Amino acid sequence: MISKKIVIVGHFGVGKTSLIRRFVEDVFSADYKVTIGVHILKKTVHVNDKEVNLILWDTEGTDDIEEIRKAYLLGTHGFIFVCDVTRPVTYQNIESQTQYLKDNFNKVPIISIGNKSDLLPKGSISEKKEELEFLDMLVSAKEGNNVQRLFEKIAKLLS
Amino acid sequence: MAMHELQRDYSTKDLQFISIDKQGTILTTDQQLFELKENSSIKNYHPFFEGIDTYFLEKSDHIKLECVHLNDRIFDIDFIKNDDDTAVIIFREGTDFYNRVQLIAQKRNESIIFQETLELKNQILKEQEEFKNRFIGNFSHELRNPLTLVSSFSSMLLKTELNLDQEMLVEAIKDQSDKLRDILNDIIDLSILKNSSLSLESEPFSLRKLLKNVHLNYSTTSTTKDLSIKLKIDETVPMTIIGDRRRFEQIITNFLDNALRHNKGDSIEINIKENQRRANKVSLRIEVINNSGIVPDSLGDQDIETYTNLDNGDIEKTTGLSFSIARELAQLMDGEILIKPLETGGTLQVANLKLVFPIHDKEIVEETEETAKNSKIHLTDKVRTIIAEDNSVTQMTALKILVGTGNFDNRVFTDPKDLLEAVDKDDYDLILMSSSISQVDALELISLIKEFANDHNKKIPIIAVTTKTSATDLVEYRKAGFKDVVKKPYTDDELLNTIYKRLNLKKFK
Ligand SMILES: Nc1nc2c(ncn2[C@@H]2O[C@H](COP(=O)(O)OP(=O)(O)O)[C@@H](O)[C@H]2O)c(=O)[nH]1
Ligand SMILES: [Mg+2]
């Protein structure tokens, strides 16, 4: 069975940990426990009748991607860059941040997503989507929207 | 225990050494931190190890991974590659240390996010406030045209023969529409002030003359006929002040309106004192005291709220509006406003204002405007007048006022093209122009007129009749060539005064 290392990056508090917990354990907690260092979790997904082991690295949130401990990123097969659609600071610099990853991790795919879509006022999602067009996907760890799809998508990209 | 033993003990107590081969099979290990079986694959113990193969491919022989969570414990991990395709992994337990770090990070991140949320909320509030002010501004402008009509027509009606009943009714209409006009101006002022787009003028004016005028105006109105209003100005107070005369007056009149509204006694005092001066700056204390009657204090920002809530649109509730204006104005003048109930049952309103006065302070002579008695002016030649206005209510207002004097011959234009044609073909004596006609801005239109009008019409006075009356607007209108600006809503006398002032009346007699 193949294993793929996915590193989840982005500002603190955007819901990286929550996304992984929703995906792996199908739970959500409204309490915020700040992640330090790195947690590593695993879940198997099926892509095209094949099983892929996703090894998910849940990192400490940093304002700047360059602050992340370099060793965490060794051997990465894919990045998920998470921002919080309700906090502009978390996506203001998304371009330079993803560019940094592209420059340093040649050819490693990056998916940029906006989390907490449940907090967008109903009816404004399509409007907000336009404003957030630089994102590949809007998800909600709280309500589970698009979470499964997100990880299947990255698994597909890698297999 | 010997020192070296202590050291060894200490340094190995929280360390575990494991050696593995390239496939991840454990060759040797101690059991200091957790139990591992030799000859089993390390990959089975935790997903962290599943990617361990790749560390053999890295250029560096020594990879350090800090703060890695494995189950409920936290480790610093060193991966050291040997030449023989084996590697040593060293675990150092850091659970206690990192849990303390986590607490600090928790506090820090929570407070940063909290701060961010606050700022975001603040911004939303600010946007709402701006929207509200814009809304109030726009809606007040909309009200001006109908109000101008009511107010000026009732004024005109009063000048005709009416029986006593009729006169009383019309007087009441005029009275209330004037009040409404004042409130409207207050609202607009306040929305301008809150948007802080208002800048103060800086012109010399005679302080005593201004105060005496205010005093006279208030002493002679009907509402104050049983009231004694006393004005006391300290000798030391400068003769001349350099500042915004209208805004300065507004603070005092707002105080007086407030005092009158709540007054229960028989006298009101106005006191002007000097707090201190330095160089050419003076701090003045303006007091308005009503000896009985409490002016409600704590007039916070809810005033404008009660005001915009039209459902309970009770005019008497507007008390706070004038006070809010006074407060905003005072802030603009680097000052402050206080309102205090007095032990006697009255109220003291105070403004402390920082003002500038000329170094050589002396009484200045101001132009006193010679307002002609409009109703007495009869011209033998009619003034050929263009009214450029596309709002029918305003058209009618201006027409009625002008026609009522018998001195004007009017043509109304609602289309800029027709207007330009007319000023080319026929001769006129006066143009009244609203701020925009069929989407063409007055500033643009006047430049077109200056270009396309015949030589005669190029010299006639053009007066703007507009709601845009901020200082910058006025400057722009003047620069563009307008002789004067009449502020909407206007009364019949205000309109006529301005027109007569700008016409060479001798020509028409
Ligand atoms: N409403 C909402 N809250 C979320 C969502 N995802 C995470 N959160 C909350 O956001 C906070 C931070 O989440 P966390 O996963 O710890 O963020 P991380 O620092 O990026 O790992 C927590 O209070 C979560 O409950 C979401 O999809 N919707
Ligand atoms: Mg986290």
Side-chain angles (χ1 to χ4, degrees), chain B residues 405-436:
Chain B
T405 62
N407 290 334
F408 297 85
D409 210 357
N410 307 294
R411 276 189 73 186
V412 177
F413 290 92
T414 54
D415 183 335
K417 272 205 317 288
D418 298 343
L419 172 64
L420 288 176
E421 237 176 77
V423 291
D424 180 31
K425 268 203 342 249
D426 309 314
D427 288 354
Y428 294 91
D429 304 306
L430 172 71
I431 301 176
L432 300 178
M433 194 188 295
S434 83
S435 41
S436 79

PDB file of all heavy atoms in Angstrom, chain B residues 405-436:
ATOM      1  N   THR B 405     -42.891  88.899  -6.685  1.00  0.00           N
ATOM      2  CA  THR B 405     -42.355  90.249  -6.532  1.00  0.00           C
ATOM      3  C   THR B 405     -42.736  91.137  -7.715  1.00  0.00           C
ATOM      4  O   THR B 405     -42.642  92.360  -7.635  1.00  0.00           O
ATOM      5  CB  THR B 405     -40.812  90.220  -6.487  1.00  0.00           C
ATOM      6  OG1 THR B 405     -40.358  89.702  -7.748  1.00  0.00           O
ATOM      7  CG2 THR B 405     -40.300  89.348  -5.368  1.00  0.00           C
ATOM      8  N   GLY B 406     -43.131  90.521  -8.817  1.00  0.00           N
ATOM      9  CA  GLY B 406     -43.437  91.290 -10.020  1.00  0.00           C
ATOM     10  C   GLY B 406     -42.203  91.829 -10.716  1.00  0.00           C
ATOM     11  O   GLY B 406     -42.305  92.587 -11.675  1.00  0.00           O
ATOM     12  N   ASN B 407     -41.029  91.456 -10.248  1.00  0.00           N
ATOM     13  CA  ASN B 407     -39.808  92.032 -10.808  1.00  0.00           C
ATOM     14  C   ASN B 407     -39.095  91.127 -11.806  1.00  0.00           C
ATOM     15  O   ASN B 407     -38.090  91.526 -12.387  1.00  0.00           O
ATOM     16  CB  ASN B 407     -38.817  92.349  -9.682  1.00  0.00           C
ATOM     17  CG  ASN B 407     -39.300  93.506  -8.834  1.00  0.00           C
ATOM     18  OD1 ASN B 407     -40.063  94.361  -9.319  1.00  0.00           O
ATOM     19  ND2 ASN B 407     -38.875  93.532  -7.584  1.00  0.00           N
ATOM     20  N   PHE B 408     -39.591  89.904 -11.966  1.00  0.00           N
ATOM     21  CA  PHE B 408     -38.824  88.954 -12.766  1.00  0.00           C
ATOM     22  C   PHE B 408     -39.623  88.384 -13.930  1.00  0.00           C
ATOM     23  O   PHE B 408     -40.834  88.224 -13.855  1.00  0.00           O
ATOM     24  CB  PHE B 408     -38.350  87.796 -11.879  1.00  0.00           C
ATOM     25  CG  PHE B 408     -37.409  88.212 -10.795  1.00  0.00           C
ATOM     26  CD1 PHE B 408     -37.909  88.696  -9.582  1.00  0.00           C
ATOM     27  CD2 PHE B 408     -36.037  88.159 -10.985  1.00  0.00           C
ATOM     28  CE1 PHE B 408     -37.045  89.087  -8.575  1.00  0.00           C
ATOM     29  CE2 PHE B 408     -35.171  88.551  -9.985  1.00  0.00           C
ATOM     30  CZ  PHE B 408     -35.673  89.023  -8.769  1.00  0.00           C
ATOM     31  N   ASP B 409     -38.901  88.098 -14.974  1.00  0.00           N
ATOM     32  CA  ASP B 409     -39.447  87.448 -16.137  1.00  0.00           C
ATOM     33  C   ASP B 409     -38.684  86.120 -16.237  1.00  0.00           C
ATOM     34  O   ASP B 409     -37.483  86.120 -16.490  1.00  0.00           O
ATOM     35  CB  ASP B 409     -39.118  88.324 -17.356  1.00  0.00           C
ATOM     36  CG  ASP B 409     -40.179  88.188 -18.406  1.00  0.00           C
ATOM     37  OD1 ASP B 409     -41.110  87.388 -18.197  1.00  0.00           O
ATOM     38  OD2 ASP B 409     -40.065  88.885 -19.436  1.00  0.00           O
ATOM     39  N   ASN B 410     -39.364  85.027 -16.000  1.00  0.00           N
ATOM     40  CA  ASN B 410     -38.613  83.781 -15.811  1.00  0.00           C
ATOM     41  C   ASN B 410     -38.753  82.786 -16.950  1.00  0.00           C
ATOM     42  O   ASN B 410     -39.805  82.681 -17.557  1.00  0.00           O
ATOM     43  CB  ASN B 410     -39.091  83.077 -14.547  1.00  0.00           C
ATOM     44  CG  ASN B 410     -39.038  83.999 -13.355  1.00  0.00           C
ATOM     45  OD1 ASN B 410     -37.968  84.402 -12.928  1.00  0.00           O
ATOM     46  ND2 ASN B 410     -40.217  84.369 -12.850  1.00  0.00           N
ATOM     47  N   ARG B 411     -37.690  82.076 -17.181  1.00  0.00           N
ATOM     48  CA  ARG B 411     -37.770  80.902 -18.041  1.00  0.00           C
ATOM     49  C   ARG B 411     -37.116  79.741 -17.311  1.00  0.00           C
ATOM     50  O   ARG B 411     -36.027  79.884 -16.750  1.00  0.00           O
ATOM     51  CB  ARG B 411     -37.038  81.142 -19.363  1.00  0.00           C
ATOM     52  CG  ARG B 411     -37.898  81.863 -20.386  1.00  0.00           C
ATOM     53  CD  ARG B 411     -37.208  81.881 -21.729  1.00  0.00           C
ATOM     54  NE  ARG B 411     -37.218  80.569 -22.373  1.00  0.00           N
ATOM     55  CZ  ARG B 411     -36.559  80.315 -23.510  1.00  0.00           C
ATOM     56  NH1 ARG B 411     -35.841  81.261 -24.094  1.00  0.00           N
ATOM     57  NH2 ARG B 411     -36.623  79.112 -24.066  1.00  0.00           N
ATOM     58  N   VAL B 412     -37.812  78.608 -17.346  1.00  0.00           N
ATOM     59  CA  VAL B 412     -37.287  77.442 -16.644  1.00  0.00           C
ATOM     60  C   VAL B 412     -36.669  76.483 -17.649  1.00  0.00           C
ATOM     61  O   VAL B 412     -37.240  76.234 -18.706  1.00  0.00           O
ATOM     62  CB  VAL B 412     -38.417  76.722 -15.871  1.00  0.00           C
ATOM     63  CG1 VAL B 412     -37.873  75.467 -15.193  1.00  0.00           C
ATOM     64  CG2 VAL B 412     -39.039  77.652 -14.853  1.00  0.00           C
ATOM     65  N   PHE B 413     -35.501  75.983 -17.338  1.00  0.00           N
ATOM     66  CA  PHE B 413     -34.855  74.979 -18.198  1.00  0.00           C
ATOM     67  C   PHE B 413     -34.572  73.720 -17.401  1.00  0.00           C
ATOM     68  O   PHE B 413     -34.054  73.772 -16.292  1.00  0.00           O
ATOM     69  CB  PHE B 413     -33.539  75.517 -18.765  1.00  0.00           C
ATOM     70  CG  PHE B 413     -33.743  76.599 -19.779  1.00  0.00           C
ATOM     71  CD1 PHE B 413     -33.752  77.933 -19.383  1.00  0.00           C
ATOM     72  CD2 PHE B 413     -33.945  76.281 -21.116  1.00  0.00           C
ATOM     73  CE1 PHE B 413     -33.953  78.940 -20.319  1.00  0.00           C
ATOM     74  CE2 PHE B 413     -34.148  77.282 -22.045  1.00  0.00           C
ATOM     75  CZ  PHE B 413     -34.152  78.618 -21.646  1.00  0.00           C
ATOM     76  N   THR B 414     -34.928  72.592 -18.004  1.00  0.00           N
ATOM     77  CA  THR B 414     -34.621  71.319 -17.341  1.00  0.00           C
ATOM     78  C   THR B 414     -33.625  70.520 -18.162  1.00  0.00           C
ATOM     79  O   THR B 414     -33.153  69.479 -17.730  1.00  0.00           O
ATOM     80  CB  THR B 414     -35.895  70.463 -17.185  1.00  0.00           C
ATOM     81  OG1 THR B 414     -36.497  70.328 -18.480  1.00  0.00           O
ATOM     82  CG2 THR B 414     -36.878  71.120 -16.242  1.00  0.00           C
ATOM     83  N   ASP B 415     -33.316  71.032 -19.342  1.00  0.00           N
ATOM     84  CA  ASP B 415     -32.404  70.303 -20.209  1.00  0.00           C
ATOM     85  C   ASP B 415     -31.195  71.190 -20.509  1.00  0.00           C
ATOM     86  O   ASP B 415     -31.332  72.287 -21.048  1.00  0.00           O
ATOM     87  CB  ASP B 415     -33.134  69.946 -21.509  1.00  0.00           C
ATOM     88  CG  ASP B 415     -32.260  69.109 -22.438  1.00  0.00           C
ATOM     89  OD1 ASP B 415     -31.015  69.197 -22.329  1.00  0.00           O
ATOM     90  OD2 ASP B 415     -32.819  68.388 -23.266  1.00  0.00           O
ATOM     91  N   PRO B 416     -30.012  70.725 -20.188  1.00  0.00           N
ATOM     92  CA  PRO B 416     -28.814  71.551 -20.388  1.00  0.00           C
ATOM     93  C   PRO B 416     -28.644  72.016 -21.839  1.00  0.00           C
ATOM     94  O   PRO B 416     -28.152  73.126 -22.077  1.00  0.00           O
ATOM     95  CB  PRO B 416     -27.671  70.615 -19.993  1.00  0.00           C
ATOM     96  CG  PRO B 416     -28.287  69.562 -19.157  1.00  0.00           C
ATOM     97  CD  PRO B 416     -29.705  69.431 -19.572  1.00  0.00           C
ATOM     98  N   LYS B 417     -29.051  71.162 -22.775  1.00  0.00           N
ATOM     99  CA  LYS B 417     -28.891  71.545 -24.188  1.00  0.00           C
ATOM    100  C   LYS B 417     -29.712  72.791 -24.510  1.00  0.00           C
ATOM    101  O   LYS B 417     -29.223  73.733 -25.124  1.00  0.00           O
ATOM    102  CB  LYS B 417     -29.346  70.385 -25.095  1.00  0.00           C
ATOM    103  CG  LYS B 417     -28.238  69.394 -25.398  1.00  0.00           C
ATOM    104  CD  LYS B 417     -28.472  68.634 -26.705  1.00  0.00           C
ATOM    105  CE  LYS B 417     -29.897  68.145 -26.937  1.00  0.00           C
ATOM    106  NZ  LYS B 417     -30.331  67.009 -26.087  1.00  0.00           N
ATOM    107  N   ASP B 418     -31.002  72.761 -24.074  1.00  0.00           N
ATOM    108  CA  ASP B 418     -31.880  73.910 -24.311  1.00  0.00           C
ATOM    109  C   ASP B 418     -31.307  75.167 -23.663  1.00  0.00           C
ATOM    110  O   ASP B 418     -31.354  76.251 -24.213  1.00  0.00           O
ATOM    111  CB  ASP B 418     -33.281  73.650 -23.730  1.00  0.00           C
ATOM    112  CG  ASP B 418     -33.931  72.450 -24.409  1.00  0.00           C
ATOM    113  OD1 ASP B 418     -33.457  72.068 -25.496  1.00  0.00           O
ATOM    114  OD2 ASP B 418     -34.892  71.908 -23.827  1.00  0.00           O
ATOM    115  N   LEU B 419     -30.777  74.959 -22.468  1.00  0.00           N
ATOM    116  CA  LEU B 419     -30.223  76.091 -21.732  1.00  0.00           C
ATOM    117  C   LEU B 419     -29.066  76.732 -22.503  1.00  0.00           C
ATOM    118  O   LEU B 419     -28.998  77.953 -22.681  1.00  0.00           O
ATOM    119  CB  LEU B 419     -29.749  75.613 -20.355  1.00  0.00           C
ATOM    120  CG  LEU B 419     -28.971  76.611 -19.504  1.00  0.00           C
ATOM    121  CD1 LEU B 419     -29.849  77.793 -19.133  1.00  0.00           C
ATOM    122  CD2 LEU B 419     -28.435  75.945 -18.243  1.00  0.00           C
ATOM    123  N   LEU B 420     -28.184  75.906 -23.027  1.00  0.00           N
ATOM    124  CA  LEU B 420     -27.031  76.422 -23.753  1.00  0.00           C
ATOM    125  C   LEU B 420     -27.467  77.140 -25.024  1.00  0.00           C
ATOM    126  O   LEU B 420     -26.898  78.165 -25.404  1.00  0.00           O
ATOM    127  CB  LEU B 420     -26.064  75.282 -24.090  1.00  0.00           C
ATOM    128  CG  LEU B 420     -25.303  74.736 -22.880  1.00  0.00           C
ATOM    129  CD1 LEU B 420     -24.429  73.551 -23.282  1.00  0.00           C
ATOM    130  CD2 LEU B 420     -24.470  75.823 -22.228  1.00  0.00           C
ATOM    131  N   GLU B 421     -28.485  76.583 -25.663  1.00  0.00           N
ATOM    132  CA  GLU B 421     -29.020  77.236 -26.847  1.00  0.00           C
ATOM    133  C   GLU B 421     -29.561  78.613 -26.505  1.00  0.00           C
ATOM    134  O   GLU B 421     -29.302  79.600 -27.192  1.00  0.00           O
ATOM    135  CB  GLU B 421     -30.159  76.382 -27.411  1.00  0.00           C
ATOM    136  CG  GLU B 421     -29.956  75.967 -28.853  1.00  0.00           C
ATOM    137  CD  GLU B 421     -31.094  75.049 -29.273  1.00  0.00           C
ATOM    138  OE1 GLU B 421     -32.210  75.553 -29.541  1.00  0.00           O
ATOM    139  OE2 GLU B 421     -30.841  73.831 -29.275  1.00  0.00           O
ATOM    140  N   ALA B 422     -30.304  78.654 -25.388  1.00  0.00           N
ATOM    141  CA  ALA B 422     -30.941  79.913 -24.987  1.00  0.00           C
ATOM    142  C   ALA B 422     -29.922  80.993 -24.655  1.00  0.00           C
ATOM    143  O   ALA B 422     -30.088  82.152 -25.037  1.00  0.00           O
ATOM    144  CB  ALA B 422     -31.864  79.666 -23.796  1.00  0.00           C
ATOM    145  N   VAL B 423     -28.872  80.631 -23.936  1.00  0.00           N
ATOM    146  CA  VAL B 423     -27.901  81.663 -23.559  1.00  0.00           C
ATOM    147  C   VAL B 423     -27.074  82.128 -24.753  1.00  0.00           C
ATOM    148  O   VAL B 423     -26.395  83.147 -24.692  1.00  0.00           O
ATOM    149  CB  VAL B 423     -26.943  81.218 -22.419  1.00  0.00           C
ATOM    150  CG1 VAL B 423     -27.697  81.089 -21.113  1.00  0.00           C
ATOM    151  CG2 VAL B 423     -26.220  79.929 -22.771  1.00  0.00           C
ATOM    152  N   ASP B 424     -27.160  81.376 -25.809  1.00  0.00           N
ATOM    153  CA  ASP B 424     -26.495  81.806 -27.031  1.00  0.00           C
ATOM    154  C   ASP B 424     -27.395  82.766 -27.814  1.00  0.00           C
ATOM    155  O   ASP B 424     -26.945  83.794 -28.307  1.00  0.00           O
ATOM    156  CB  ASP B 424     -26.154  80.566 -27.874  1.00  0.00           C
ATOM    157  CG  ASP B 424     -25.456  80.936 -29.174  1.00  0.00           C
ATOM    158  OD1 ASP B 424     -24.728  81.959 -29.168  1.00  0.00           O
ATOM    159  OD2 ASP B 424     -25.640  80.215 -30.171  1.00  0.00           O
ATOM    160  N   LYS B 425     -28.707  82.422 -27.888  1.00  0.00           N
ATOM    161  CA  LYS B 425     -29.632  83.172 -28.738  1.00  0.00           C
ATOM    162  C   LYS B 425     -30.153  84.462 -28.110  1.00  0.00           C
ATOM    163  O   LYS B 425     -30.184  85.505 -28.739  1.00  0.00           O
ATOM    164  CB  LYS B 425     -30.832  82.264 -29.105  1.00  0.00           C
ATOM    165  CG  LYS B 425     -30.607  81.526 -30.407  1.00  0.00           C
ATOM    166  CD  LYS B 425     -31.885  81.066 -31.130  1.00  0.00           C
ATOM    167  CE  LYS B 425     -33.169  81.000 -30.358  1.00  0.00           C
ATOM    168  NZ  LYS B 425     -33.626  79.598 -30.167  1.00  0.00           N
ATOM    169  N   ASP B 426     -30.624  84.358 -26.853  1.00  0.00           N
ATOM    170  CA  ASP B 426     -31.304  85.501 -26.227  1.00  0.00           C
ATOM    171  C   ASP B 426     -30.476  86.092 -25.098  1.00  0.00           C
ATOM    172  O   ASP B 426     -29.612  85.429 -24.543  1.00  0.00           O
ATOM    173  CB  ASP B 426     -32.661  85.053 -25.667  1.00  0.00           C
ATOM    174  CG  ASP B 426     -33.464  84.306 -26.721  1.00  0.00           C
ATOM    175  OD1 ASP B 426     -33.534  84.793 -27.866  1.00  0.00           O
ATOM    176  OD2 ASP B 426     -33.976  83.205 -26.384  1.00  0.00           O
ATOM    177  N   ASP B 427     -30.801  87.347 -24.764  1.00  0.00           N
ATOM    178  CA  ASP B 427     -30.089  88.005 -23.666  1.00  0.00           C
ATOM    179  C   ASP B 427     -30.848  87.832 -22.353  1.00  0.00           C
ATOM    180  O   ASP B 427     -32.074  87.968 -22.304  1.00  0.00           O
ATOM    181  CB  ASP B 427     -29.933  89.500 -23.957  1.00  0.00           C
ATOM    182  CG  ASP B 427     -28.911  89.720 -25.061  1.00  0.00           C
ATOM    183  OD1 ASP B 427     -28.281  88.723 -25.490  1.00  0.00           O
ATOM    184  OD2 ASP B 427     -28.755  90.881 -25.491  1.00  0.00           O
ATOM    185  N   TYR B 428     -30.139  87.591 -21.297  1.00  0.00           N
ATOM    186  CA  TYR B 428     -30.733  87.449 -19.967  1.00  0.00           C
ATOM    187  C   TYR B 428     -29.996  88.339 -18.985  1.00  0.00           C
ATOM    188  O   TYR B 428     -28.947  88.917 -19.305  1.00  0.00           O
ATOM    189  CB  TYR B 428     -30.688  85.991 -19.505  1.00  0.00           C
ATOM    190  CG  TYR B 428     -31.569  85.089 -20.351  1.00  0.00           C
ATOM    191  CD1 TYR B 428     -31.062  84.437 -21.476  1.00  0.00           C
ATOM    192  CD2 TYR B 428     -32.914  84.922 -20.029  1.00  0.00           C
ATOM    193  CE1 TYR B 428     -31.869  83.643 -22.261  1.00  0.00           C
ATOM    194  CE2 TYR B 428     -33.736  84.118 -20.811  1.00  0.00           C
ATOM    195  CZ  TYR B 428     -33.206  83.482 -21.919  1.00  0.00           C
ATOM    196  OH  TYR B 428     -34.013  82.699 -22.683  1.00  0.00           O
ATOM    197  N   ASP B 429     -30.548  88.403 -17.721  1.00  0.00           N
ATOM    198  CA  ASP B 429     -29.895  89.222 -16.704  1.00  0.00           C
ATOM    199  C   ASP B 429     -29.397  88.412 -15.515  1.00  0.00           C
ATOM    200  O   ASP B 429     -28.603  88.898 -14.715  1.00  0.00           O
ATOM    201  CB  ASP B 429     -30.876  90.285 -16.176  1.00  0.00           C
ATOM    202  CG  ASP B 429     -31.428  91.144 -17.300  1.00  0.00           C
ATOM    203  OD1 ASP B 429     -30.600  91.714 -18.045  1.00  0.00           O
ATOM    204  OD2 ASP B 429     -32.662  91.205 -17.453  1.00  0.00           O
ATOM    205  N   LEU B 430     -29.926  87.185 -15.412  1.00  0.00           N
ATOM    206  CA  LEU B 430     -29.614  86.420 -14.201  1.00  0.00           C
ATOM    207  C   LEU B 430     -29.850  84.926 -14.467  1.00  0.00           C
ATOM    208  O   LEU B 430     -30.781  84.558 -15.165  1.00  0.00           O
ATOM    209  CB  LEU B 430     -30.551  86.886 -13.065  1.00  0.00           C
ATOM    210  CG  LEU B 430     -30.543  86.100 -11.761  1.00  0.00           C
ATOM    211  CD1 LEU B 430     -29.245  86.332 -10.989  1.00  0.00           C
ATOM    212  CD2 LEU B 430     -31.737  86.497 -10.887  1.00  0.00           C
ATOM    213  N   ILE B 431     -28.986  84.105 -13.885  1.00  0.00           N
ATOM    214  CA  ILE B 431     -29.223  82.664 -13.955  1.00  0.00           C
ATOM    215  C   ILE B 431     -29.193  82.073 -12.543  1.00  0.00           C
ATOM    216  O   ILE B 431     -28.262  82.330 -11.774  1.00  0.00           O
ATOM    217  CB  ILE B 431     -28.159  81.945 -14.811  1.00  0.00           C
ATOM    218  CG1 ILE B 431     -28.154  82.514 -16.243  1.00  0.00           C
ATOM    219  CG2 ILE B 431     -28.410  80.442 -14.849  1.00  0.00           C
ATOM    220  CD1 ILE B 431     -27.067  81.919 -17.137  1.00  0.00           C
ATOM    221  N   LEU B 432     -30.239  81.328 -12.215  1.00  0.00           N
ATOM    222  CA  LEU B 432     -30.247  80.553 -10.970  1.00  0.00           C
ATOM    223  C   LEU B 432     -30.069  79.101 -11.356  1.00  0.00           C
ATOM    224  O   LEU B 432     -30.813  78.575 -12.167  1.00  0.00           O
ATOM    225  CB  LEU B 432     -31.582  80.707 -10.237  1.00  0.00           C
ATOM    226  CG  LEU B 432     -31.989  82.110  -9.809  1.00  0.00           C
ATOM    227  CD1 LEU B 432     -33.358  82.073  -9.136  1.00  0.00           C
ATOM    228  CD2 LEU B 432     -30.954  82.698  -8.860  1.00  0.00           C
ATOM    229  N   MET B 433     -29.070  78.460 -10.769  1.00  0.00           N
ATOM    230  CA  MET B 433     -28.772  77.113 -11.221  1.00  0.00           C
ATOM    231  C   MET B 433     -28.698  76.134 -10.056  1.00  0.00           C
ATOM    232  O   MET B 433     -28.016  76.391  -9.078  1.00  0.00           O
ATOM    233  CB  MET B 433     -27.425  77.118 -11.957  1.00  0.00           C
ATOM    234  CG  MET B 433     -27.186  75.850 -12.755  1.00  0.00           C
ATOM    235  SD  MET B 433     -25.534  75.801 -13.388  1.00  0.00           S
ATOM    236  CE  MET B 433     -25.564  77.169 -14.508  1.00  0.00           C
ATOM    237  N   SER B 434     -29.408  75.016 -10.157  1.00  0.00           N
ATOM    238  CA  SER B 434     -29.320  74.024  -9.088  1.00  0.00           C
ATOM    239  C   SER B 434     -28.047  73.202  -9.268  1.00  0.00           C
ATOM    240  O   SER B 434     -27.368  73.317 -10.282  1.00  0.00           O
ATOM    241  CB  SER B 434     -30.554  73.126  -9.079  1.00  0.00           C
ATOM    242  OG  SER B 434     -30.405  72.108 -10.024  1.00  0.00           O
ATOM    243  N   SER B 435     -27.736  72.386  -8.275  1.00  0.00           N
ATOM    244  CA  SER B 435     -26.413  71.745  -8.267  1.00  0.00           C
ATOM    245  C   SER B 435     -26.209  70.767  -9.413  1.00  0.00           C
ATOM    246  O   SER B 435     -25.081  70.466  -9.771  1.00  0.00           O
ATOM    247  CB  SER B 435     -26.154  71.049  -6.933  1.00  0.00           C
ATOM    248  OG  SER B 435     -27.305  70.394  -6.510  1.00  0.00           O
ATOM    249  N   SER B 436     -27.321  70.259  -9.966  1.00  0.00           N
ATOM    250  CA  SER B 436     -27.156  69.489 -11.193  1.00  0.00           C
ATOM    251  C   SER B 436     -28.471  69.519 -11.970  1.00  0.00           C
ATOM    252  O   SER B 436     -29.541  69.582 -11.389  1.00  0.00           O
ATOM    253  CB  SER B 436     -26.746  68.052 -10.894  1.00  0.00           C
ATOM    254  OG  SER B 436     -27.867  67.308 -10.512  1.00  0.00           O
TER     255      SER B 436
END
